[in-house]
């Protein structure tokens, strides 16, 4: 007696192969996202489209990623997660990157400096609480120049969207952003003095 | 010889051919650099000790002289934290890189350029410790290939210590019997800066085949 | 024997006799600080002064020292303070290889007594102990001494030595071992008074442990799940892929792209070292860059530190430009030790790029001070020298010829040889500048007519107490809690239990939730925004110093321990405060609870407090000892106390804080231990002694 399952498979033929191809594409996509994440970066959707080689057309990519977007990924993409930026959607492997770092990388990929500064500053002021030193944005992973930061601070003063973002200075001349939604200017200055001067003098 | 052993030996030979004159000038692939835990520039620093079992890599630029390897070695093997018995020697090289020279400020060690030329057992093919033992107390372990002291046979004469160019075996202060490295890996597992690596030949083969 | 060696080594420098005794009767004090304090109590009668031949130095380790536990390379030295009021008992702590080697030589403690007429060094090689001639070493720097003794006694020898400061009995002097590992508190001058130039240690033994597998498992647990970086900062300094949080205060400084720029053979990237990777954790702390700024990256050779410590908090730098000053070009240290006297300058001359002048001055001053064996007293000596320079007092206290021979313009012009001009004279007993290195209490006494009450009370000095003790740490961390941790000390408190929590890098609410679980609601206020005193804070402060005493006794480094927090999200960032007792049990084979171990550690604190009462000849510790200077009440004059933006103290609240803290320790309203309390800690003989002196 023939195996009934075998018979059905051979009858269905085409869909099985397609399913197999889909799984391979999903595994490849997962690897692309993982490798990108392993370099401490997120994978922008635009970039992923360019990576899609033979066997992964736009429609397939969209179908696979929509599973991730909806929180119902296929088995191969279970580790993938997404973060929505202003300019794109970004994917990463959640097993080797936190949502918070992915968020930071999304901000960096969006290349909207003012939005980046504002979002990070607001989070720091609300959560820790503390202002966000210019040196934080000058260092890894942001790497803005001090001139760029000075310019950003000036531009933010002129924008309603960033009306809450201000700058405080420590006694050594260092500067930090703060959000008046979460910290008074005096408190922000005092906390920044502690970060920048006092905690370093009294280690 | 099993297929695994043959492949291992083949990889070892290929690797030794490639690195016969040290790593300076050798074009190393990204996979190989990653396996060795180094950048191309840093690779010249590496001390490579290939033996039958694995490739031992020590990077004196990464060693920070914490001596956790010595403590872990003896705790794992002797049940006592006793740096003197350690089969890797850091302490005697940490301060001045060996003997105190007149130029010690420019030499290696904490008092010089901070490079720490620690010494560890190479498990030499014709190991002088093994060859020179008058009672044949040191023999290759059939499984690991390590040259292992049988303390029941050892008479504590110290020939192994003297014959080893790096004086790696130690005589236990209490019993007088010799003890040396058995490739257990406790030192590697406990190094907080990965200055020390034991790399399996299978992994070397993979990296060599991976190309760039 | 497991843990302890069970032996004390006694060396008499007057007779050059050495002897070995049992250490078992001191096991109830754990070891280290507790053991050494008790030995000092038993052997040095009240009234003896630090430089008397009857004065002793006791160096002790504990069952954990040298066991392989992370950060177990610390040794405690106990002696009479040279530099604070009353010359009461203090302890100092040294890292490097000393603890491991003292254990390897077979001893829990070394008692140094008597005094030699001629320079000597103590040479310990296992059970072979000799007192040797050191005439040829006298006058050498600590580096030269170490090289000479390693050349003579063996290159792996651990050498502890003094420099000119100790030889000349400058109160603020230290003992140095390895590169820059230092025991301060003035112990260098006591060595000098005994003509003891150095101690050499080389041992072939070790630390026996009852359950080696359990110790190895604990090491792995601590390094994988509990440890962050220096001060147990559990989040990285910059956002990193594995972390939810980051903090600019964190000493977990390593990150992709930051290198050991001067590593032999080319830069080594510090990369990411996520929790759970013990073989990478040595790349977390990048202290040269943290302390000096990014300019130090290209000069950083690597990180070093004490034996057994995976944190590596010493930033090792190589500055070729130091060659022209005729000095060693490399140095390694951490925190204030990275820049002890660079701040004596008013300006810096850059060499090749902006900022390298300041960096060079810092490292230059650190090398110089270590070679002289001069102790900075957590920045007090620099502050005192600056105070006298900035207020025009130098011209008034120095002899005219002394004043004239110093080129004071170098300070303004950025010529860093000024630092050497000052420090070498500070170490010359015949020069008036040396009077400024007596410690702030004695400086204040000698020059009070000139400087009035301002100096001792000044923010420039930042003492925690007018006994001449520096604030390290105090109200700048957790307000009253931090300040209270100093009270049990006759020098700077050095308690890091609390500052490691406030500096951990975790958001405030997480810190608070974790510590409130143990100490009660209200124990930890918002940063720079604190509330009046409560009992939870007193409990928290007591925990801080009891754990510190435990670490100094066990021994462990209180600059990293205890493991209050963890870098692991899966643990809710909660650490494990029972690890010390787990180690104690695994090492000694005596199953001991956290509470039992804390109790043993507290015994040493109770004894030290009773000794202070005896030395001071009064029970009134509140008004004679626990007196915070005026600056602490008057910073930020425009900001009201208990509001956002200040940690200044409030006078009535501080008195309440003391009362609550005294109560936690079982002391009376004077801050002195009662008989009941002393007897609870099996210190009946001490109670009897106080009673006989009319002090109970």
């Amino acid at each position: 007696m023939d195996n009934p399952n075998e018979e059905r498979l051979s009858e269905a033929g085409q869909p099985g192969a397609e399913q197999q191809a889909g799984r391979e594409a999903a595994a490849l996509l997962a690897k692309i996202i993982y490798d990108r994440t392993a370099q401490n970066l997120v994978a922008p959707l635009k970039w992923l489209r360019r990576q899609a080689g033979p066997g992964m057309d736009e429609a397939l990519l969209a179908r696979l990623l929509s599973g991730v977007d909806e929180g119902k990924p296929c088995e191969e993409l279970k580790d993938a997660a997404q973060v929505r930026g202003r300019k794109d959607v970004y994917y990463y492997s959640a097993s080797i990157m936190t949502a918070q770092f992915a968020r930071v990388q999304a901000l960096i990929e969006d290349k909207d400096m003012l939005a980046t500064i504002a979002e990070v500053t607001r989070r720091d002021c609300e959560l820790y609480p503390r202002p966000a030193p210019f040196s934080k944005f000058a260092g890894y992973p942001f790497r803005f120049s001090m001139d760029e930061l000075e310019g950003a601070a000036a531009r933010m003063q002129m924008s309603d969207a960033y009306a809450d973002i201000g700058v405080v200075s420590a006694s050594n001349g260092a500067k930090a952003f703060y959000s008046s939604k979460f910290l008074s200017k005096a408190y922000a200055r005092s906390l920044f003095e502690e970060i920048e001067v006092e905690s370093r003098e009294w280690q | 010889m099993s297929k695994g052993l043959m492949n291992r030996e083949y990889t070892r030979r290929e690797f030794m051919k490639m690195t016969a004159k040290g790593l300076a000038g050798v074009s190393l692939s990204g996979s190989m650099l990653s396996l060795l835990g180094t950048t191309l520039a840093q690779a010249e620093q590496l001390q490579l000790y290939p033996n039958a079992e694995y490739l031992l890599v020590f990077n004196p630029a990464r060693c920070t002289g914490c001596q956790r390897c010595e403590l872990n070695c003896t705790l794992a093997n002797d049940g006592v934290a006793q740096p003197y018995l350690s089969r890797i020697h850091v302490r005697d090289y940490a301060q001045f890189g060996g003997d105190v020279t007149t130029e010690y400020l420019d030499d290696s060690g904490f008092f010089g350029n901070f490079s720490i030329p620690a010494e560890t057992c190479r498990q030499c093919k014709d190991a002088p410790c093994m060859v020179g033992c008058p009672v044949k107390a040191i023999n290759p372990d059939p499984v690991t290939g390590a040259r292992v002291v049988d303390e029941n046979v050892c008479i504590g004469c110290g020939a192994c210590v003297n014959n080893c160019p790096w004086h790696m075996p130690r005589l236990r202060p209490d019993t007088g019997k010799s003890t040396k490295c058995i490739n257990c890996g406790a030192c590697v597992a406990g190094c907080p800066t990965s200055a020390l690596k034991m790399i399996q030949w299978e992994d070397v083969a993979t990296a060599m085949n991976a190309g760039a | 024997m497991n843990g302890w060696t069970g032996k004390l080594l006694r060396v008499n420098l007057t007779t050059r006799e050495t002897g070995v005794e049992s250490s078992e009767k001191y096991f109830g004090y754990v070891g280290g600080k507790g053991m050494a304090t008790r030995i000092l109590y038993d052997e040095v009668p009240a009234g003896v002064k630090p430089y008397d031949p009857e004065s002793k130095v006791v160096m002790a380790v504990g069952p954990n020292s040298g066991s392989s536990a992370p950060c177990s390379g610390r040794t405690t030295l106990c002696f009479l303070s040279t530099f604070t009021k009353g010359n009461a008992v203090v302890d100092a702590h040294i890292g490097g290889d000393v603890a491991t080697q003292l254990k390897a030589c077979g001893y829990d403690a070394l008692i140094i007594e008597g005094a030699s007429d001629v320079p000597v060094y103590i040479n310990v090689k296992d059970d072979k102990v000799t007192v040797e001639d050191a005439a040829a070493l006298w006058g050498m720097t600590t580096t030269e001494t170490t090289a000479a003794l390693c050349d003579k006694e063996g290159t792996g020898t651990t050498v502890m030595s003094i420099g000119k400061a100790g030889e000349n009995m400058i109160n603020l002097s230290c003992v140095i071992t390895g590169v820059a590992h230092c025991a301060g508190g003035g112990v260098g001058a006591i060595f000098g008074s005994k003509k003891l130039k150095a101690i050499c240690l080389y041992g072939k033994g070790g630390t026996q442990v009852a359950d080696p597998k359990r110790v190895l498992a604990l090491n792995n647990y601590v390094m994988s799940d509990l440890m962050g970086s220096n001060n147990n900062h559990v989040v990285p300094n910059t956002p990193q892929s594995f972390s939810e949080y980051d903090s600019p205060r964190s000493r977990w400084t390593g990150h992709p792209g930051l290198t050991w720029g001067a590593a032999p053979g080319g830069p080594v990237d510090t990369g990411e070292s996520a929790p759970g990777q013990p073989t990478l954790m040595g790349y977390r702390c990048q202290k040269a860059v943290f302390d000096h700024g990014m300019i130090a990256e290209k000069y950083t050779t690597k990180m070093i530190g004490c034996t057994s410590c995976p944190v590596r908090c010493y930033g090792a730098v190589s500055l070729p430009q130091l060659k022209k000053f005729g000095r060693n070009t490399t140095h390694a240290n951490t925190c204030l030790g990275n820049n002890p006297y660079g701040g004596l300058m008013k300006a810096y001359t850059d060499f090749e790029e902006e900022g390298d002048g300041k960096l060079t001055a810092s490292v230059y001053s650190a090398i110089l001070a270590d070679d002289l064996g001069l102790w900075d007293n957590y920045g007090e000596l620099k502050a005192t020298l600056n105070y006298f320079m900035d207020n025009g007092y130098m011209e008034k206290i120095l002899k005219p010829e002394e004043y004239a021979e110093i080129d004071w313009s170098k300070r303004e012009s950025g010529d860093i040889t000024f630092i050497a001009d000052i420090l070498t004279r500070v170490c010359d007993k015949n020069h008036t500048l040396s009077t400024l290195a007596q410690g702030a209490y004695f400086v204040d006494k000698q020059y009070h007519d000139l400087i009035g009450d301002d100096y001792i009370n000044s923010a420039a000095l930042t003492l925690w107490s007018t006994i001449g003790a520096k604030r390290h740490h105090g109200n700048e961390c957790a307000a009253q809690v931090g300040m209270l941790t100093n009270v049990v000390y006759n020098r700077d408190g050095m308690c890091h239990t609390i500052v490691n929590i406030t500096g951990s890098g975790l958001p405030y609410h997480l810190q608070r939730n974790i510590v409130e679980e143990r100490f009660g609601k209200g124990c930890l206020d918002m940063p720079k925004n604190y509330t009046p005193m409560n009992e939870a804070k007193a409990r928290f402060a007591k925990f801080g110093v009891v754990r510190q005493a435990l670490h100094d006794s066990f021994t462990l480094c209180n600059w990293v321990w205890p493991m209050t927090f963890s870098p692991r999200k899966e643990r809710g960032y909660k650490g494990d405060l029972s690890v010390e007792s787990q180690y104690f049990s695994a090492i000694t084979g005596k199953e001991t609870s956290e509470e039992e171990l804390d109790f043993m550690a507290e015994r040493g604190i109770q004894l030290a407090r009773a000794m202070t009462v005896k030395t001071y000849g009064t029970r009134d510790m509140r008004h004679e000892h626990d007196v915070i200077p005026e600056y602490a009440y008057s910073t930020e004059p425009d900001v009201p106390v208990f509001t956002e933006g200040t940690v200044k103290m409030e006078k009535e609240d501080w008195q309440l804080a003391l009362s609550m803290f005294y109560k936690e320790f079982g002391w009376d309203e004077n801050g002195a231990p009662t008989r009941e309390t002393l007897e609870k800690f099996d210190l009946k003989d001490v109670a009897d002694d106080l009673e006989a002196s009319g002090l109970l």
Side-chain angles (χ1 to χ4, degrees), chain C residues 143-165:
Chain C
T143 301
E144 290 163 349
T145 306
T146 306
L149 285 172
C150 281
D151 192 34
K152 185 173 174 209
E153 302 296 346
T155 180
T157 304
T158 297
V159 178
M160 303 166 71
S161 69
I162 60 169
K164 279 221 169 65

Side-chain angles (χ1 to χ4, degrees), chain C residues 326-617:
Chain C
R327 306 217 71 83
N328 188 0
T329 57
T330 62
H331 191 255
N333 211 321
T334 191
C335 303
L336 265 73
N338 267 332
N339 183 12
Y341 300 100
L344 291 176
M345 302 297 293
K346 285 282 189 199
Y348 304 99
T349 306
D350 289 333
F351 294 85
E352 284 170 10
E353 63 181 306
E354 191 180 340
D356 69 357
K358 183 170 188 238
L359 168 68
T360 307
S362 307
V363 177
Y364 171 81
S365 80
I367 295 171
L368 190 63
D370 286 350
D371 273 348
L372 291 165
L374 184 63
W375 183 54
D376 68 299
N377 189 15
Y378 198 64
E380 183 263 300
L381 180 53
K382 177 188 71 181
T384 293
L385 290 164
N386 277 335
Y387 193 90
F388 275 69
M389 287 194 282
D390 294 342
N391 292 296
Y393 295 135
M394 282 297 188
E395 203 167 359
K396 292 177 181 152
I397 67 163
L398 297 187
K399 295 173 194 142
E401 63 275 19
E402 288 177 336
Y403 189 84
E405 75 185 9
I406 294 170
D407 181 355
W408 301 94
S409 72
K410 288 181 181 177
R411 189 183 184 216
E412 319 281 339
S413 70
D415 180 346
I416 58 174
T417 59
F418 178 72
I419 301 170
D421 294 346
I422 297 294
L423 296 190
T424 50
R425 287 170 174 85
V426 162
C427 294
D428 176 357
K429 200 74 179 171
N430 297 317
H431 199 286
T432 309
L433 267 179
S434 70
T435 60
L436 297 181
Q438 296 179 87
Y441 176 82
F442 294 107
V443 170
D444 177 62
K445 287 278 166 285
Q446 179 167 352
Y447 295 115
H448 197 269
D449 289 347
L450 181 67
I451 58 184
D453 292 336
D454 292 348
Y455 163 78
I456 201 86
N457 284 302
S458 68
L461 219 53
T462 324
L463 303 179
W464 84 262
S465 165
T466 52
I467 66 168
K470 196 81 168 90
R471 186 187 73 176
H472 173 199
H473 290 272
N475 57 324
E476 90 287 4
C477 80
Q480 304 102 328
V481 179
M483 206 58 137
L484 283 169
T485 60
N486 289 285
V487 162
V488 299
Y489 263 89
N490 296 315
R491 55 171 289 193
D492 54 320
M494 301 168 287
C495 178
H496 286 71
T497 318
I498 312 297
V499 77
N500 292 1
I501 290 168
T502 59
S504 66
L506 291 174
Y508 164 70
H509 71 275
L510 274 178
Q511 297 178 17
R512 182 201 59 205
N513 292 350
I514 293 170
V515 295
E516 277 193 347
E517 216 176 276
R518 186 170 175 119
F519 306 107
K521 213 168 159 41
C523 67
L524 180 64
D525 289 317
M526 291 271 283
K528 284 281 186 90
N529 185 16
Y530 82 105
T531 62
M533 187 60 192
N534 61 47
E535 282 167 356
K537 291 183 188 180
R539 280 193 293 275
F540 188 22
K542 180 182 176 183
F543 167 78
V545 288
V546 168
R547 276 304 159 101
Q548 176 194 14
L550 172 61
H551 300 151
D552 291 340
S553 302
F554 191 26
T555 55
L556 273 173
C557 177
N558 183 247
W559 277 252
V560 177
W561 288 73
M563 299 291 128
T564 314
F565 298 146
S566 150
R568 292 273 204 190
K569 185 186 179 185
E570 311 87 278
R571 299 179 60 98
Y573 299 100
K574 192 174 166 184
D576 183 346
L577 293 172
S578 73
V579 198
E580 292 95 324
S581 63
Q582 293 182 50
Y583 269 114
F584 187 92
S585 304
I587 290 167
T588 64
K590 298 171 201 281
E591 281 301 323
T592 302
S593 71
E594 201 183 327
E595 294 72 24
E596 287 166 332
L597 196 58
D598 282 347
F599 181 82
M600 289 159 77
E602 186 179 342
R603 183 175 283 135
I605 297 176
Q606 296 288 356
L607 174 63
R609 186 71 165 184
M611 288 165 77
T612 305
V613 167
K614 181 110 192 267
T615 305
Y616 275 42

Side-chain angles (χ1 to χ4, degrees), chain B residues 105-117:
Chain B
L105 292 178
D106 299 315
D107 222 323
S108 49
F110 291 154
F111 284 93
N113 64 15
F114 295 108
S115 180
I116 299 173

